[in-house]
Amino acid sequence: MTDRLWRRYLGLGALAALGYFAFPTLPAKLIFWPLIGWSSAVAIVIGIRRHRPAGAAAWWLLAAGVTTFIVGDNLFTLRANIQHADTFPSYVDLVYLAMYPLLIAGLVVLVRRRSDRRDRASVLDAAIVTAGVGLVSWIFLIVPYVRAADLTLAERLVSIAYPLGDVALLAIVLRLAMGTGRRPPAFWLLAGGTAALLVSDALYGYLNLAGVWKEHNIVDVGWTVFYLGWGAAALHPSMQALSQPTAPSGRNRGRRLVLVGATALVPPTVLFAQQLTGTVADASIIALTSVVIFALVLIRIAGLAREGADARNEARFQTLFEHASDAILVVDSTGVIRYETPSTHRVFGRDPQELHGKELREFLQRSETEQLDTMLLNAVPLTTIEWRVLQPDGQWRDLEVLVADMRADHDVNGLVLTMRDITDRKQLEAELRRRALHDSLTGLPNRALLLDRVAQALLRGERGDATTAVLFIDLDDFKVVNDGLGHTSGDALLIAVAERLRLSLRPGDTVARLGGDEFVMLVENANAGDIDRVADRLMDTFRAPFRLGSEEVTVGASVGIGLARVGDDAPEDLVRNADLAMYVAKRKGKGRCERFVPQMHEEMSRRLEIVNELRGAIERREIFVAYQPIVSVSDGRVLGAEALARWTHRRLGVVSPRDFIPVAESAGLVIPLGELVMAEACRQTQQWKEAGLVSDDFYVSVNLSARHVQAASVIDDVAAALASSGLAPSALVVEMTETALIDELNP
């Protein structure tokens, strides 16, 4: 489908172009021309989103340039045909001229991503051709405006800016075209569209100078091809390849040289043409251009000579260094170094002369000298091994060594050791392994390493009578510190907590950070008394304030303890049990320690079940509202009613509000629950009023959670409930308990 999209676009664009030329000027300019231009900009955007090229910035710049061009066209049509304004220059010219930097910037990004920046040959070839074309543009399109005495300075500058912009655009396109690598179909669509644009611009400038320019003529074909070509280039799947680096290639070099040679003939041809007309008016610029082209051609020839010399040198030394990596040693059958390349200095830290004639064993570890002796006594296939070599400063460097046994070759007669220093890579691998198992902020073990150590502790515990325990630690009110003092202080607090926990460990125990403000302590080989003492010491750890810069912060912790049961607990289960116990400690008032009991798991399972069922009950509107009358003590008159949420589950039976309201709070369901109760209470109250069952001043009171009251949608929710029921605003009272507000403000 993607491969056919660009063809369909070209087909539809051709139909729009036929419509443009078939209709009179004004309808064509107002309908078909915007359709052609804007479709190009849209097509480029679609191509970017479909193909997601690596150099997307280049294509976005091209899309911006095309958009600027069509905006200029639309504004020109508006001024010329609707407003009948013909002042020049105008703001429309500024829009048109803004196209050039955008298009040039996009093409420059493509060139930089696609081509080797050291490809001086392509730069020179593009510069030579640009100089020749620039000379023609100068004589026929720029000089007439420079010499026009009837033009103001602004008119001259704007008139000159157009052909100069075209020449600059041509230079970048030539650089892209003359670069190395394969040229996919998207390249030819882009290049063809650019060529059509430049030809039409040149014809427009020439006809405008001659005073015979008219809108809606054959010159518009070039601009149409530009729009459609660039849009199709972006839609073509090969547009991805235009922003990818390309390998150097010698293809098309002969054609480029022919083009460069032909360009060198442009200045004398122009001079000859002017002489035939009887007026040589631009001899100076022609001579200057000839000098520039001649100099560039000389530099190009020197580059060709240098490339030839480099190719010969490369062929000369290719055999010698075909196995080379960073350093090469040749070791004879006794282990003595007989040949070394200059690059061995980077590997051994010694001058090559110091190595020559020495035994390689002097620089290796004992195990590696044994490996070397084995290779010297036996035939060795081509193999890669890792060694460590001793540096003069006593440090060891890691090497990757490619061993080639060339003792049968009389010209070599030894083991060829191609060595590459991999010390940095080995250190990076070690660091990556450490980071994979440790928390980046505190340096403590992370979840993966903790679970591994818990698993090992459980295996050891099966062979003895000692108990393995996990203490799950969650900081109390950490969010207050993090939000109040900033994330930097929050991180400093976590680091300080980690250090205190590390100091409170017994030998052999482990403390880990799971993430956020959650820590876990693994206690091995302990009895009940040991675990209680560890827990007490842990709680004492948080009694002293933490120093964070100039601030002192006191923070508590809730701790859950999970004890391993022989043959029954997996590492994940033990950590989960401790987590459940910590959650219970939080609910009981924080700053305390709780042991896990099986009932905690049952309670949590019931809460999860209630959460799942409650979500469905709210969606199915199974929650009903009970009403508790509000009676005047003085005269016994019913003033209103309080709306109360009630839930009768088809399987669980009557679920107490004490069970499902806190669950709704913690699960984020309290807002939709409040919306349902408020809407139903308003609807019922309005029905009572309309039926005459209550007085006109009767009101209904609805309790909303603190979280709902603080939500941005609370006003809209109240307004929606009143609007859908028709109840007067004075008949609705929204309440929130003080305890709910306090709980919300102190999580």
Side-chain angles (χ1 to χ4, degrees):
M1 175 63 183
T2 304
D3 188 50
R4 295 194 298 268
L5 184 59
W6 70 278
R7 299 177 188 273
R8 295 180 180 178
Y9 169 74
L10 284 180
L12 293 175
L15 292 177
L18 291 175
Y20 172 81
F21 287 105
F23 279 78
T25 300
L26 189 57
K29 286 287 186 180
L30 292 178
I31 299 174
F32 289 98
W33 195 252
L35 180 63
I36 294 171
W38 284 108
S39 71
S40 179
V42 172
I44 296 176
V45 173
I46 293 174
I48 297 171
R49 298 183 66 85
R50 275 179 172 266
H51 304 306
R52 301 186 181 278
W59 289 96
W60 283 115
L61 287 168
L62 298 183
V66 171
T67 301
T68 304
F69 194 20
I70 186 58
V71 168
D73 280 344
N74 295 159
L75 293 175
F76 180 85
T77 300
L78 176 66
R79 282 177 50 82
N81 297 283
I82 305 299
Q83 299 176 347
H84 300 291
D86 58 353
T87 53
F88 174 84
S90 68
Y91 65 90
V92 177
D93 297 284
L94 295 179
V95 175
Y96 272 130
L97 292 175
M99 168 192 71
Y100 290 106
L102 292 171
L103 296 184
I104 291 171
L107 291 173
V108 166
V109 174
L110 280 182
V111 169
R112 292 175 65 87
R113 290 192 59 86
R114 177 177 171 82
S115 303
D116 187 349
R117 297 180 187 178
R118 296 169 299 177
D119 186 7
R120 295 179 58 192
S122 297
V123 175
L124 289 171
D125 291 347
I128 292 170
V129 177
T130 302
V133 176
L135 174 63
V136 176
S137 178
W138 173 267
I139 292 175
F140 293 101
L141 298 178
I142 298 177
V143 168
Y145 290 111
V146 174
R147 296 172 179 169
D150 56 339
L151 295 180
T152 65
L153 178 61
E155 291 172 340
R156 291 183 184 180
L157 292 177
V158 172
S159 299
I160 292 171
Y162 283 105
L164 288 179
D166 285 336
V167 172
L169 184 61
L170 173 64
I172 304 303
V173 172
L174 287 173
R175 173 64 183 87
L176 180 65
M178 292 183 178
T180 60
R182 187 176 61 89
R183 295 172 177 81
F187 165 83
W188 295 110
L189 290 168
L190 200 68
T194 307
L197 168 70
L198 298 178
V199 170
S200 287
D201 282 354
L203 289 174
Y204 167 79
Y206 181 80
L207 295 175
N208 201 34
L209 280 170
V212 295
W213 166 257
K214 292 182 180 180
E215 288 188 53
H216 198 221
N217 60 47
I218 194 65
V219 177
D220 291 337
V221 172
W223 290 320
T224 303
V225 172
F226 162 74
Y227 281 131
L228 299 181
W230 279 43
L235 292 176
H236 198 283
S238 65
M239 65 93 77
Q240 294 176 322
L242 275 182
S243 54
Q244 295 175 352
T246 59
S249 172
R251 291 180 6 175
N252 299 322
R253 180 176 294 179
R255 300 177 189 174
R256 283 168 48 183
L257 293 178
V258 171
L259 180 60
V260 168
T263 304
L265 299 176
V266 170
T269 302
V270 172
L271 183 63
F272 180 72
Q274 287 194 348
Q275 186 177 14
L276 288 178
T277 60
T279 304
V280 179
D282 304 285
S284 298
I285 191 62
I286 293 172
L288 179 61
T289 305
S290 298
V291 171
V292 170
I293 293 177
F294 182 75
L296 293 174
V297 169
L298 286 179
I299 296 173
R300 184 71 170 93
I301 293 173
L304 289 173
R306 186 168 54 252
E307 290 176 7
D310 292 342
R312 289 190 298 272
N313 290 333
E314 182 179 357
R316 183 178 304 161
F317 294 104
Q318 181 177 2
T319 303
L320 180 60
F321 292 104
E322 61 183 356
H323 297 294
S325 175
D326 287 339
I328 297 177
L329 293 181
V330 178
V331 180
D332 66 15
S333 296
T334 64
V336 175
I337 300 172
R338 296 303 182 190
Y339 175 80
E340 62 288 326
T341 58
S343 55
T344 53
H345 175 75
R346 294 194 297 271
V347 174
F348 286 84
R350 295 173 170 85
D351 290 334
Q353 293 81 0
E354 295 182 44
L355 298 176
H356 192 79
K358 297 286 185 67
E359 290 192 3
L360 181 58
R361 299 177 185 86
E362 297 180 19
F363 311 104
L364 303 179
Q365 293 179 329
R366 180 173 181 177
S367 61
E368 293 159 356
T369 60
E370 295 174 354
Q371 189 177 26
L372 174 61
D373 290 338
T374 301
M375 290 190 296
L376 293 174
L377 293 174
N378 301 278
V380 182
L382 187 67
T383 184
T384 301
I385 56 178
E386 289 188 6
W387 279 351
R388 303 187 76 202
V389 298
L390 183 64
Q391 300 282 306
D393 59 1
Q395 300 295 319
W396 291 88
R397 304 291 293 179
D398 294 289
L399 302 183
E400 182 181 76
V401 183
L402 176 65
V403 181
D405 191 346
M406 302 185 70
R407 284 175 287 188
D409 188 329
H410 296 292
D411 294 328
V412 180
N413 192 24
L415 293 179
V416 179
L417 307 178
T418 305
M419 300 179 171
R420 175 174 299 159
D421 190 335
I422 58 170
T423 305
D424 293 340
R425 190 185 80 187
K426 299 285 285 187
Q427 292 175 349
L428 177 60
E429 290 173 353
E431 177 65 16
L432 291 176
R433 284 194 297 270
R434 191 195 69 80
R435 291 189 181 185
L437 297 174
H438 290 79
D439 174 51
S440 60
L441 177 65
T442 63
L444 296 177
N446 61 11
R447 178 183 292 273
L449 183 55
L450 171 72
L451 293 177
D452 179 72
R453 292 187 179 178
V454 172
Q456 296 178 26
L458 292 176
L459 290 175
R460 288 190 290 268
E462 292 179 356
R463 298 191 290 267
D465 298 330
T467 301
T468 298
V470 166
L471 285 70
F472 201 104
I473 308 154
D474 188 273
L475 303 186
D476 296 331
D477 304 325
F478 173 73
K479 187 175 185 296
V480 175
V481 177
N482 210 31
D483 293 345
L485 300 180
H487 293 289
T488 301
S489 296
D491 289 346
L493 176 59
L494 293 174
I495 294 172
V497 169
E499 184 60 26
R500 285 195 187 180
L501 293 177
R502 188 185 289 111
L503 295 175
S504 69
L505 285 176
R506 304 181 316 159
D509 292 344
T510 299
V511 62
R513 180 184 177 222
L514 299 191
D517 59 342
E518 295 179 341
F519 298 84
V520 171
M521 185 176 291
L522 169 63
V523 179
E524 297 187 59
N525 195 25
N527 54 41
D530 292 334
I531 296 172
D532 289 338
R533 283 189 290 273
V534 170
D536 292 340
R537 187 164 64 249
L538 183 60
M539 299 305 293
D540 290 340
T541 297
F542 292 92
R543 301 193 191 283
F546 292 88
R547 189 76 181 179
L548 306 178
S550 61
E551 300 282 345
E552 278 195 352
V553 175
T554 301
V555 64
S558 299
V559 180
I561 303 175
L563 301 178
R565 294 173 294 183
V566 177
D568 191 33
D569 283 322
E572 295 85 354
D573 297 333
L574 186 55
V575 174
R576 182 203 61 196
N577 293 343
D579 189 9
L580 288 177
M582 181 277 298
Y583 179 77
V584 172
K586 284 277 191 187
R587 285 198 303 164
K588 288 186 177 181
K590 305 179 182 179
R592 55 186 297 136
C593 185
E594 291 287 336
R595 285 178 182 262
F596 172 79
V597 293
Q599 290 81 0
M600 293 180 181
H601 188 268
E602 296 172 4
E603 179 185 353
M604 182 58 65
S605 298
R606 175 173 171 78
R607 288 177 64 86
L608 290 175
E609 184 178 15
I610 291 176
V611 168
N612 294 331
E613 295 290 340
L614 180 59
R615 182 176 284 106
I618 293 175
E619 293 174 354
R620 295 189 296 271
R621 306 188 74 81
E622 293 177 357
I623 304 296
F624 66 92
V625 181
Y627 299 90
Q628 179 174 292
I630 300 173
V631 181
S632 172
V633 177
S634 60
D635 55 10
R637 186 166 58 91
V638 177
L639 302 177
E642 182 179 5
L644 304 173
R646 294 292 183 265
W647 181 21
T648 301
H649 192 271
R650 57 184 181 276
R651 181 170 54 83
L652 301 176
V654 177
V655 183
S656 171
R658 290 192 300 272
D659 291 333
F660 74 83
I661 295 297
V663 169
E665 288 276 3
S666 61
L669 299 174
V670 70
I671 293 179
L673 178 62
E675 293 175 3
L676 186 152
V677 172
M678 184 164 50
E680 177 59 25
C682 291
R683 185 194 64 79
Q684 184 62 68
T685 302
Q686 182 62 19
Q687 285 188 355
W688 288 338
K689 286 179 176 287
E690 293 175 352
L693 299 178
V694 296
S695 61
D696 291 340
D697 57 354
F698 183 88
Y699 67 90
V700 64
S701 177
V702 178
N703 283 315
L704 295 184
S705 71
R707 184 171 298 176
H708 195 171
V709 171
Q710 293 175 345
S713 63
V714 62
I715 296 178
D716 294 336
D717 295 341
V718 173
L722 293 172
S724 62
S725 63
L727 185 68
S730 60
L732 173 64
V733 175
V734 176
E735 295 186 358
M736 183 178 65
T737 63
E738 296 88 345
T739 56
L741 180 59
I742 293 173
D743 290 341
E744 184 69 22
L745 295 177
N746 297 277

